[in-house]
């Protein structure tokens, strides 16, 4: 790395941080990614990426690698978790790709992360550094200094906080806390041979019911099958929030007891060692100060019900890159223009994710009847429910 020119500093090497680094490198500026973990990586579960994300991956030049390891599902299917009946579907085939200019893919998180990390490693503009838990960020006289818990200091021309839901960088802008949804997730990918009974293994299935859902889809060229079980815990209290006393595997078995056979079968395969309490935060109206800004979950953490968290982080990366192209050396202006576009966009997705959660988890007979009537009366080529999210087509200012 050229040490004369101060690099951009990205705090956090998750999907958002690495994509941001690739974007900055596209502008031929140096960037250092500081990750708290001893190595770069992701957890062992799947991720869905809609066209608004794969459009960005195409632009970042990594889509060929993604194509080698992803699965291209034909349909996204909504099922009733109790009756086992199909409620609705979305065609994810050619018609989807033509409409949005990029495919819908499902893949293993570690595969996506590895593709991004390898692209970073092969860039002459990017340096990846581990064991850096950044605890302080200070802007001073046209540069920004970040300090790691181990005492290391890094000086950069600007800083992008990509440090996720529990972001330290976000504290520079707001004193809020993650909001616990009282839902937990259990998730993991198992070898395809172990999947005993199911419908079409190529598709994405979302089984929904009162206070619960299950998502299933293949990953890693179809070699693994990813499952995410989610439910609301009646054992949650503010006092026990930080413990593992709520949303236990035993409660999961009780909550799913009346579901149809295919769902029960899926529950029997889910890994029970680790649970993920689900959090989001409310949108904020500023995440930029001078030469410091935020991206991804640090800026706009959302519930995962629309499968858009990482997609939004990728959109952030593309838009930030374009603003850097547009504004040349004026980083402060680039950051301001970046947030001007991205705050309303991501706030809409955050609040829509909450609302979609209320719809799929509805507990009232009238609500369920209304929802199912709407769902059963749409066709699989009716894209109006997802156009806003998957069809994001801001004209990017190309280099
Ligand atoms: C159950 C579940 C399912 C989901 N499914 C989907 C889906 O299908 N599609 C989708 O688009 N999104 C999905 N999401 C959301 C998605 O996972 C996140 O939005 C996305 O991973 C955010 O990426 P990020 O890089 O912003 O943050 P993170 O992935 O949280 O990465 C933050 C990085 O920063 C590091 N870090 C943290 N603090 C510090 C520090 N102080 N100093 C240095 N490094 C630090 C962390 O170690 C980590 O590597 C899902 C989320 C959940 C919980």
């Amino acid at each position: 790395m050229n040490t004369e020119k101060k690099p951009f500093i990205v705090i956090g090497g998750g999907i958002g941080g690495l994509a941001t680094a690739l974007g900055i490198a596209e502008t031929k500026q140096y960037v250092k990614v500081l990750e708290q973990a001893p190595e770069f990586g992701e957890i062992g579960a799947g991720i869905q990426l809609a066209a608004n994300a794969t459009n960005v991956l195409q632009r970042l030049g990594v889509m060929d690698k993604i194509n080698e390891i992803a699965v291209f599902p034909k349909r996204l299917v909504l099922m009733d978790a109790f009756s086992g009946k199909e409620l609705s579907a979305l065609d994810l085939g050619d018609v989807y790709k033509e409409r949005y200019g990029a495919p819908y893919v499902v893949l293993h998180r570690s595969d996506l992360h590895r593709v991004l990390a390898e692209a970073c490693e092969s860039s002459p503009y990017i340096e990846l550094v581990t064991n850096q838990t950044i605890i302080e960020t200070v802007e001073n006289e046209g540069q920004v200094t970040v300090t790691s818990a181990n005492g290391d200091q890094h000086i950069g021309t600007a800083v992008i906080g990509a440090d996720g839901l529990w972001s330290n960088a976000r504290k520079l802008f707001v004193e809020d806390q993650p909001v616990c949804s009282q839902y937990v997730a259990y998730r993991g990918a198992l070898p395809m041979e172990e999947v005993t009974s199911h419908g079409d293994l190529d598709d994405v299935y979302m089984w929904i019911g009162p206070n619960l859902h299950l998502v299933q889809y293949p990953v890693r060229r179809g070699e693994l099958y990813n499952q995410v079980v989610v439910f609301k815990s009646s054992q949650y209290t503010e006092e026990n929030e930080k413990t593992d006393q709520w949303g236990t595997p035993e409660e999961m078995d009780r909550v799913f007891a009346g579901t149809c056979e295919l769902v029960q079968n899926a529950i029997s395969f889910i890994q029970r060692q680790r649970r993920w309490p689900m959090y989001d935060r409310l949108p904020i109206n500023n995440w930029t100060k001078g030469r410091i800004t935020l991206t991804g979950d640090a800026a706009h953490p959302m519930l995962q019900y629309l499968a858009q968290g990482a997609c939004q982080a990728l959109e952030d990366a593309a838009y930030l890159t374009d603003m850097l192209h547009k504004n040349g050396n004026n980083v402060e202006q680039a950051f301001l223009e970046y947030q001007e576009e991205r705050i309303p966009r991501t706030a809409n997705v955050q609040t829509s994710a909450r609302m979609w959660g209320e719809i799929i988890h509805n507990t009232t007979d009238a609500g369920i009847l209304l929802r199912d009537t709407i769902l059963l009366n749409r066709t699989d080529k009716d894209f109006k429910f997802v156009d806003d999210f998957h069809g994001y087509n801001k004209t990017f200012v190309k280099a």
Side-chain angles (χ1 to χ4, degrees):
M1 180 179 283
N2 178 347
T3 46
E4 280 171 31
K5 183 145 197 260
K6 289 186 200 71
F8 279 75
I9 289 174
V10 175
I11 306 172
I15 293 162
L18 296 184
T20 303
L22 288 173
I24 295 169
E26 185 193 291
T27 69
K28 302 202 180 345
Q29 302 187 76
Y30 291 96
V31 49
K32 203 187 237 191
V33 183
L34 304 175
E35 166 58 41
Q36 68 179 0
E39 52 190 54
F40 283 81
E42 253 285 358
I43 59 152
I47 192 158
Q48 307 179 57
L49 296 179
N52 55 321
T54 51
N55 261 314
V56 175
L57 295 174
Q58 280 174 191
R59 178 220 171 120
L60 294 176
V62 295
M63 203 54 201
D64 285 352
K65 296 278 183 204
I66 299 290
N67 289 342
E68 289 170 15
I69 33 117
V71 174
F72 299 82
K74 294 192 297 294
R75 295 197 318 155
L76 171 59
V77 190
L78 267 184
M79 306 286 290
D80 185 312
F82 286 84
S83 70
K85 293 209 176 94
E86 182 173 320
L87 293 171
S88 203
L90 188 72
D91 190 329
L92 299 177
D94 291 343
V95 61
Y96 179 94
K97 200 172 161 186
E98 276 157 31
R99 187 177 185 89
Y100 299 124
Y104 194 102
V105 299
V106 286
L107 70 170
H108 201 278
R109 279 170 178 266
S110 60
D111 292 342
L112 170 62
H113 194 275
R114 183 175 41 75
V115 167
L116 293 171
E118 285 175 2
C120 287
E121 278 160 6
S122 63
S123 166
Y125 294 101
I126 302 175
E127 185 185 358
L128 302 180
V129 189
T130 53
N131 292 310
Q132 300 293 316
T133 302
I134 302 308
I135 51 170
E136 191 181 66
T137 301
V138 179
E139 180 175 357
N140 201 346
E141 293 175 8
Q143 62 183 35
V144 189
T145 305
V146 299
T147 308
S148 169
N150 65 9
D152 290 353
Q153 285 202 323
H154 306 265
I155 298 175
T157 190
V159 165
I160 297 114
D163 48 349
L165 171 70
W166 299 96
S167 172
N168 268 337
R170 185 180 173 103
K171 294 178 189 153
L172 292 167
F173 303 99
V174 60
E175 288 181 5
D176 66 344
Q177 289 296 319
V179 180
C180 184
S181 68
Q182 307 181 24
Y183 279 78
V184 285
Y186 286 80
R187 55 182 168 169
L190 62 146
M192 196 54 99
E193 313 78 85
E194 290 178 22
V195 181
T196 48
S197 66
H198 202 280
D200 193 334
L201 292 171
D202 284 343
D203 292 338
V204 178
Y205 279 89
M206 185 175 207
W207 304 78
I208 61 174
N211 291 333
L212 61 82
H213 76 264
L214 158 72
V215 178
Q216 299 176 298
Y217 52 83
V219 294
R220 196 165 292 160
R221 295 175 291 259
E223 291 159 22
L224 299 173
Y225 201 58
N226 182 66
Q227 306 201 101
V228 190
V229 176
V230 178
F231 64 96
K232 185 173 185 180
S233 171
S234 60
Q235 296 168 342
Y236 166 90
T237 62
E238 275 181 26
E239 288 70 41
N240 72 8
E241 181 181 318
K242 295 282 159 53
T243 73
D244 58 6
Q245 300 303 303
W246 59 281
T248 59
E250 294 72 32
E251 188 180 10
M252 171 167 67
D253 288 333
R254 282 200 300 279
V255 169
F256 280 85
T259 54
C260 69
E261 203 184 323
L262 285 173
V263 173
Q264 300 255 4
N265 189 44
I267 304 300
S268 70
F269 283 104
I270 202 77
Q271 71 77 25
R272 288 156 185 258
Q273 292 76 43
R274 182 165 171 201
R275 73 198 235 301
W276 280 268
M278 313 278 45
Y279 289 86
D280 69 354
R281 298 197 199 221
L282 292 171
I284 51 176
N285 59 18
N286 178 55
W287 66 50
T288 293
K289 198 188 298 184
R291 294 172 168 268
I292 305 169
T293 195
L294 300 178
T295 186
D297 277 8
H300 44 70
M302 58 188 69
L303 297 172
Q304 80 277 19
Y305 307 142
L306 290 170
Q308 275 290 318
C311 298
Q312 291 305 309
L314 289 165
E315 281 187 9
D316 287 347
Y319 203 84
L320 178 62
T321 304
D322 291 333
M323 293 308 105
L324 291 171
H325 277 305
K326 182 180 168 209
N327 289 287
N329 288 332
N330 193 345
V331 174
E332 290 162 344
Q333 183 62 22
F335 282 3
L336 280 176
E337 289 183 30
Y338 156 74
Q339 80 159 5
E340 197 177 312
E341 164 66 20
R342 298 304 302 159
I343 284 179
R345 163 73 176 163
T346 54
N348 178 42
V349 187
Q350 279 176 292
T351 46
S352 300
R354 275 194 181 190
M355 189 184 296
W356 181 239
E358 281 168 25
I359 293 169
I360 57 174
H361 299 141
N362 203 292
T363 54
T364 65
D365 288 348
I368 293 169
L369 179 64
L370 185 62
R371 175 194 71 199
D372 291 357
T373 306
I374 293 168
L375 288 174
L376 288 163
N377 279 293
R378 58 173 292 284
T379 74
D380 67 352
K381 297 196 177 38
D382 176 356
F383 292 94
K384 69 172 174 292
F385 288 99
V386 296
D387 268 343
D388 262 5
F389 308 117
H390 301 193
Y392 183 72
N393 62 355
K394 279 282 147 197
T395 310
F396 296 152
V397 184
K398 292 280 149 41

